[in-house]
Amino acid sequence: MLYLVGLGLGDAKDITVKGLEIVKRADYVFLEAYTSILCVGQEVLEEFYGRKIQLADRETVEQNSDLILEHANNKDVAFLVVGDPFGATTHTDLVLRAHQLNIPYQVIHNASIMNAVGCCGLQLYNFGETVSIVLWTDTWKPDSFYDKIAANKKQGLHTLCLLDIKVKEQSMENLMRGKKVYEPPRYMSVNEAVKQLLEIPKTRDLKGEEPVYTGASVAVGLARVGSTNQRIVCGTMEELLSHDLGPPLHSLVIPGHLHFLEKDMLRMFALNPSVLDER
């Protein structure tokens, strides 16, 4: 059996009782270690679960998943995922591969940023399509997510922006040379995301339309959601450019139309509550 076990967002204790029972009895335990991170390390998880854990990086899961599935064909495999197992399309692919090989699977769900983002006070059913914002390079600056933010805005819907995580990535030079040398882990901050977002209207052909956001637009920065040192800050995008939310992981929300209850909640986290009076 292949078990996909959601770990939640905070620490080792966020696993469900059902999930913990599976981890304790599984023959193999893998930890997916690149679509998200917990606020605690592998050693803490191993101590709490009482099990040794094998890290499964991007290469293992996307290119060498045969190893995981080979084990699951004859033994019980617990594949641990930060958040919820279906928070990333990679895990959907793993389930499809298991199905094709007639390997039974079971999913143990948990909290993910997709629903925990409601902690900022914005109502979940008022969110539109979620977007991912990647770290730009000197030669690669994708901005297709702008259109999705614009579409959400036109419908009065909020946009959850998932910020880039780069773990075990190779530089272009090492990739071209076939060297297995990896760059240090890098996690996009709210500051970096806002900086990139504000650059897009300056370089894009908006075809005469007003930009869907400016430096004066309200946004919400979130950090380490689900942990004891969670941070939520509401302010203008200009204010968020320089506001430090601390260590990763960060997320960003660009609100659409605000209900008065949503405004009341956002004031709890606002750097300057008066900016919400005119929204």
Side-chain angles (χ1 to χ4, degrees):
M1 175 78 79
L2 172 65
Y3 294 96
L4 289 89
V5 182
L7 299 184
L9 293 169
D11 56 33
K13 295 182 179 180
D14 281 355
I15 192 171
T16 63
V17 174
K18 183 187 291 185
L20 184 58
E21 289 174 345
I22 288 169
V23 170
K24 285 184 175 296
R25 71 169 186 262
D27 298 293
Y28 299 93
V29 183
F30 291 91
L31 173 63
E32 188 266 81
Y34 67 92
T35 59
S36 190
I37 59 168
L38 283 177
C39 294
V40 296
Q42 177 184 351
E43 299 79 11
V44 176
L45 296 181
E46 290 180 332
E47 182 178 355
F48 184 73
Y49 301 154
R51 294 298 309 275
K52 290 296 292 182
I53 296 173
Q54 300 180 56
L55 284 182
D57 58 23
R58 181 186 296 273
E59 185 177 338
T60 300
V61 179
E62 293 187 346
Q63 299 176 26
N64 300 314
S65 59
D66 291 346
L67 173 63
I68 297 170
L69 296 173
E70 184 180 326
H71 288 322
N73 195 36
N74 301 303
K75 302 285 186 178
D76 285 341
V77 173
F79 185 76
L80 312 183
V81 181
V82 176
D84 185 84
F86 287 136
T89 53
T90 294
H91 310 131
T92 304
D93 182 66
L94 191 60
V95 166
L96 287 171
R97 300 268 327 267
H99 177 71
Q100 290 165 0
L101 295 169
N102 294 317
I103 297 171
Y105 71 91
Q106 183 178 346
V107 179
I108 294 83
H109 294 284
N110 210 320
S112 78
I113 190 61
M114 301 293 284
N115 65 307
V117 67
C119 65
C120 71
L122 297 177
Q123 296 164 2
L124 291 179
Y125 47 76
N126 289 335
F127 277 80
E129 185 173 357
T130 297
V131 304
S132 295
I133 301 180
V134 299
L135 285 157
W136 283 351
T137 68
D138 292 338
T139 57
W140 188 60
K141 297 184 178 182
D143 64 2
S144 58
F145 48 79
Y146 179 89
D147 298 313
K148 296 178 180 180
I149 296 172
N152 286 343
K153 274 275 197 178
K154 287 176 182 176
Q155 297 180 73
L157 301 174
H158 314 314
T159 304
L160 169 60
C161 303
L162 303 178
L163 308 190
D164 200 6
I165 296 173
K166 291 193 178 299
V167 179
K168 206 174 180 182
E169 297 272 347
Q170 291 176 273
S171 68
M172 185 57 68
E173 181 182 354
N174 286 325
L175 191 62
M176 296 287 286
R177 293 181 177 181
K179 290 185 176 180
K180 293 287 186 178
V181 179
Y182 301 100
E183 300 293 294
R186 187 177 173 193
Y187 307 96
M188 179 182 266
S189 67
V190 164
N191 316 96
E192 291 173 301
V194 171
K195 182 179 180 181
Q196 290 185 188
L197 283 167
L198 292 177
E199 283 295 315
I200 294 171
K202 299 175 185 177
T203 57
R204 227 172 190 253
D205 180 8
L206 300 180
K207 299 178 181 176
E209 294 186 4
E210 291 294 315
V212 294
Y213 53 75
T214 67
S217 299
V218 168
V220 185
L222 303 99
R224 302 171 301 284
V225 171
S227 69
T228 54
N229 62 345
Q230 170 179 297
R231 287 285 311 281
I232 305 172
V233 174
C234 174
T236 65
M237 295 182 80
E238 196 70 41
E239 288 174 326
L240 293 181
L241 271 176
S242 57
H243 193 83
D244 183 11
L245 273 77
L249 292 171
H250 291 192
S251 302
L252 179 72
V253 178
I254 300 175
H257 174 73
L258 290 171
H259 185 273
F260 70 89
L261 286 177
E262 292 178 311
K263 289 185 182 180
D264 287 346
M265 282 291 290
L266 288 180
R267 285 190 183 94
M268 293 170 52
F269 311 114
L271 296 170
N272 178 11
S274 64
V275 300
L276 292 161
D277 295 340
E278 52 205 54
R279 307 291 163 173

